[in-house]
Amino acid sequence: MSVLALSGGVGGAKLALGLYRVLPPDALRIAVNTGDDFDHLGLRICPDLDTALYTLGDLEHREQGWGRRDETWTMMRVTEALGGETWFRLGDADTALHLHRTQRLRAGERLTSVIAGIASRFGIRAAILPMTDDPVATRVTTDAGDLAFQEYFVRRRCEPRLRAIRFDGADRAHATPEVLAAFADPGLEAIVLCPSNPYLSVDPLLAVPSLRAALVARRVPAIAVSPLIGTNAVKGPTAKIMAELGIESSPAAIAAHYAGLIDALVVDDVDRDAAATLPVTTFATATLMKTLADRTRLASFVLERARELRR
Ligand code: FO1
């Protein structure tokens, strides 16, 4: 049996870890957003893939959600002294991974293969799959101009008012054979859209035509977990982004955003009443994930609902 999760960012990785812990080790495949990837200090940085690697490899910085917890910062300190860019914080151990990945990519290896090699070195049995090996770059149109994703998200801390989001290259990108095989796996039992920011972290995946087509043609239930709790996003700027895009921060907006792509939506208990009126099957439970137990419990809840939907 297998489960395919679609994930990006810190919120998605939390549920991915819960799924990883409650499923047989080889059962989980995670298609991960690569729209946040960029070249920086001569290195290829893949933030959402690395957050998934560190989280499932039990290396992640627990409070931040990104980067490693056992970090030192000599490289950043010397970069600063040399007048280099330090707005994007790269720890020494994290930088070793970027160096390693950049070398292998430069040698012509596919990103999918590089990530699989690193996951194996981290002892991770789940398949962490870039959504595509083709270039896709999330860019945002803001009142401070057209910005690359990390420039907006990290350097400017999401302060500029967001007008539009686009994913350069997505329309020409191909889902990897490994991602398409995960959708086609006869043993597939469920597809889980993790509680990542739908607009920044899930939409890039859905913008890859063959990935979206595979989700539309699904033969098993697809369940999305809302990243919102009430009108405030749990983590990150989701509510601010929705307001600036003119979208109400509600379960209804999330359901509408995923219309046709999901068979059920999981919302938090505080949204139980709002959920009763949605056009998609909706389940309510506690969706705030602070502890590992929160993550595994939510993962089990989602998988049980998917099994019910299959009967
Ligand atoms: N996020 C920040 O807010 N500040 C940082 O300095 C930062 C550095 C960083 C380094 C490696 C990495 O894998 C992620 C990093 N992130 C940082 C998080 C990253 O920008 C976001 O996790 C995703 O791009 C958004 O989902």
Side-chain angles (χ1 to χ4, degrees):
M1 61 87 78
S2 70
V3 169
L4 173 59
L6 305 186
S7 178
V10 169
K14 289 183 177 177
L15 183 57
L17 178 62
L19 291 166
Y20 184 51
R21 299 292 292 253
V22 302
L23 286 166
D26 301 311
L28 180 62
R29 286 92 183 248
I30 313 165
V32 178
N33 169 39
T34 58
D36 297 3
D37 298 4
F38 71 132
D39 294 317
H40 186 62
L41 303 185
L43 301 171
R44 186 67 181 164
I45 314 288
C46 304
D48 286 3
L49 285 163
D50 294 352
T51 295
L53 285 165
Y54 289 147
T55 301
L56 270 65
D58 193 18
L59 293 164
E60 90 284 10
H61 188 292
R62 295 264 160 78
E63 293 69 46
Q64 273 176 181
W66 53 265
R68 293 176 61 132
R69 60 176 171 267
D70 59 348
E71 264 310 355
T72 52
W73 299 93
T74 303
M75 192 279 282
M76 277 283 99
R77 186 160 38 76
V78 176
T79 298
E80 177 90 43
L82 295 170
E85 293 185 84
T86 56
W87 58 270
F88 195 79
R89 312 295 303 155
L90 293 172
D92 298 332
D94 191 33
T95 299
L97 187 152
H98 302 307
L99 284 168
H100 177 77
R101 171 169 48 226
T102 302
Q103 286 173 304
R104 289 175 68 167
L105 290 172
R106 281 210 186 115
E109 193 174 351
R110 284 196 309 141
L111 179 60
T112 298
S113 169
V114 175
I115 298 299
I118 296 167
S120 169
R121 291 277 180 173
F122 284 177
I124 297 168
R125 300 277 300 276
I128 297 177
L129 304 173
M131 65 188 195
T132 179
D133 288 322
D134 300 322
V136 175
T138 300
R139 292 190 69 85
V140 293
T141 306
T142 76
D143 60 359
D146 188 285
L147 303 174
F149 179 79
Q150 298 297 347
E151 177 77 27
Y152 162 75
F153 193 82
V154 175
R155 194 169 198 171
R156 297 171 184 245
R157 290 187 300 283
C158 301
E159 281 154 13
R161 291 187 59 77
L162 193 58
R163 298 274 180 265
I165 307 169
R166 68 179 196 275
F167 312 114
D168 285 351
D171 53 342
R172 297 184 303 282
H174 301 280
T176 66
E178 291 81 359
V179 165
L180 296 179
F183 276 104
D185 178 9
L188 183 65
E189 289 199 350
I191 299 166
V192 179
L193 278 70
C194 293
S196 312
N197 181 313
Y199 312 94
L200 290 180
S201 303
V202 180
D203 277 358
L205 288 131
L206 305 180
V208 176
S210 48
L211 194 156
R212 186 187 194 92
L215 182 59
V216 168
R218 65 191 178 280
R219 295 172 289 94
V220 297
I223 298 190
V225 177
S226 171
L228 299 175
I229 294 186
T231 57
N232 304 303
V234 175
K235 181 115 174 76
T238 303
K240 175 179 186 284
I241 285 166
M242 292 177 79
E244 290 169 359
L245 291 174
I247 302 167
E248 59 164 3
S249 292
S250 70
I254 303 294
H257 191 70
Y258 289 141
L261 301 173
I262 61 173
D263 301 292
L265 177 68
V266 174
V267 300
D268 189 79
D269 285 318
V270 304
D271 294 311
R272 180 181 296 276
D273 296 344
T277 62
L278 297 185
V280 68
T281 303
T282 303
F283 303 106
T285 188
T287 60
L288 184 61
M289 292 180 280
K290 284 188 178 308
T291 67
L292 180 57
D294 294 341
R295 298 170 193 190
T296 52
R297 195 194 45 72
L298 181 56
S300 299
F301 181 88
V302 170
L303 293 173
E304 281 151 27
R305 301 293 80 72
R307 288 180 189 123
E308 283 167 13
L309 287 169
R310 291 194 73 192
R311 285 192 200 110

